[in-house]
Amino acid sequence: KQEVTQIPAALSVPEGENLVLNCSFTDSAIYNLQWFRQDPGKGLTSLLLIQSSQREQTSGRLNASLDKSSGRSTLYIAASQPGDSATYLCAPFSGGYNKLIFGAGTRLAVHP
Amino acid sequence: DAGVIQSPRHEVTEMGQEVTLRCKPISGHNSLFWYRQTMMRGLELLIYFNNNVPIDDSGMPEDRFSAKMPNASFSTLKIQPSEPRDSAVYFCASNIQGVSGNTIYFGEGSWLTVV
């Protein structure tokens, strides 16, 4: 059974800092891994998807890396802004057939 | 595209009543997922369909829950009878299922309160 852990559970930083959010998963037999953002009271927005054959994926100030063999992924946020405040969730595809399992998330607060 | 559309957005109902949540996936997507989110348990996969066929319903909590997908553009999640512990946000999501998977798109959620 796939289990996903995200560290830290919560993070509060001043604006401008570079951030590292960590995700680990127990079953390395994944097809890919997706990072999402969730704002309070809202749905989930997909940020990045990394295929199992890839090492990293970039979108603007976001960079996600994947080490499938060790069961780890990292989301880097460069030059954080107050608008980045949200909960960030990682979710590997596993279970052999399009099954997405979520971590509990990292709750990020960026203050001016 | 309008994205994944869910209704109702908010519902408050009394214990024992039947609740029906609806979802319209993105056109052309062949997989549909129902998730439940609570503070205690986070996001849990309840059931998912591929080409309108239920593939894995192991996450459905009990017989009070049922889901259907009569066609490629519509799915329902029904709770009968509802209980206060069913209070949660229910998300529907869809994607195009492939060998290595594809980005999953979520709806805005249906916020259910059972009193």
Side-chain angles (χ1 to χ4, degrees), chain B residues 4-7 21-26 32-34 69 73-77 91-94 107:
Chain B
V4 177
I5 300 173
Q6 293 186 244
S7 65
L21 308 178
R22 297 173 178 80
C23 175
K24 177 178 167 35
I26 292 173
L32 182 141
F33 308 81
W34 283 102
M69 192 165 185
S73 60
F74 184 66
S75 177
T76 59
L77 178 67
F91 287 103
C92 178
S94 71

Side-chain angles (χ1 to χ4, degrees), chain B residues 58-100:
Chain B
S58 59
M60 296 286 263
E62 49 197 275
D63 292 345
R64 297 185 298 106
F65 286 69
S66 63
K68 294 182 180 179
M69 192 165 185
N71 57 62
S73 60
F74 184 66
S75 177
T76 59
L77 178 67
K78 188 173 293 187
I79 309 172
Q80 166 63 19
S82 58
E83 297 182 4
R85 61 193 168 118
D86 301 330
S87 298
V89 185
Y90 291 82
F91 287 103
C92 178
S94 71
N95 79 344
I96 302 172
Q97 192 270 333
V99 174
S100 58

Side-chain angles (χ1 to χ4, degrees), chain A residues 31-32 34 36 38 40-46 48-49 51-52 89 93 95-104, chain B residues 9 31 33 35 37 43 45 48 50 55-56 58 91 95-104 106-109 111:
Chain A
Y31 292 142
N32 57 47
Q34 200 163 344
F36 293 86
Q38 186 175 27
K42 301 290 186 181
L44 280 72
T45 301
S46 178
L48 291 163
L49 184 149
Q51 303 291 354
S52 60
L89 300 126
F93 273 97
Y97 202 81
N98 212 22
K99 195 166 180 175
L100 196 63
I101 306 297
F102 282 87
Chain B
R9 289 296 315 280
S31 289
F33 308 81
Y35 282 87
Q37 186 176 39
L43 266 164
L45 177 63
Y48 75 88
N50 187 257
I55 302 300
D56 185 347
S58 59
F91 287 103
N95 79 344
I96 302 172
Q97 192 270 333
V99 174
S100 58
N102 278 290
T103 301
I104 284 186
F106 279 74
E108 290 288 291
W111 301 70

Side-chain angles (χ1 to χ4, degrees), chain A residues 19-25 30 32-35 47-59 61-77 89-92:
Chain A
L19 307 175
V20 177
L21 308 182
N22 297 293
C23 172
S24 61
F25 44 94
I30 64 170
N32 57 47
L33 184 142
Q34 200 163 344
W35 282 92
L47 297 173
L48 291 163
L49 184 149
I50 313 176
Q51 303 291 354
S52 60
S53 58
Q54 295 178 314
R55 297 286 295 183
E56 64 179 67
Q57 193 69 249
T58 298
S59 176
R61 294 182 295 108
L62 304 179
N63 175 277
S65 66
L66 175 64
D67 185 342
K68 182 182 167 184
S69 60
S70 66
R72 295 172 191 254
S73 178
T74 303
L75 180 67
Y76 299 89
I77 304 176
L89 300 126
C90 77

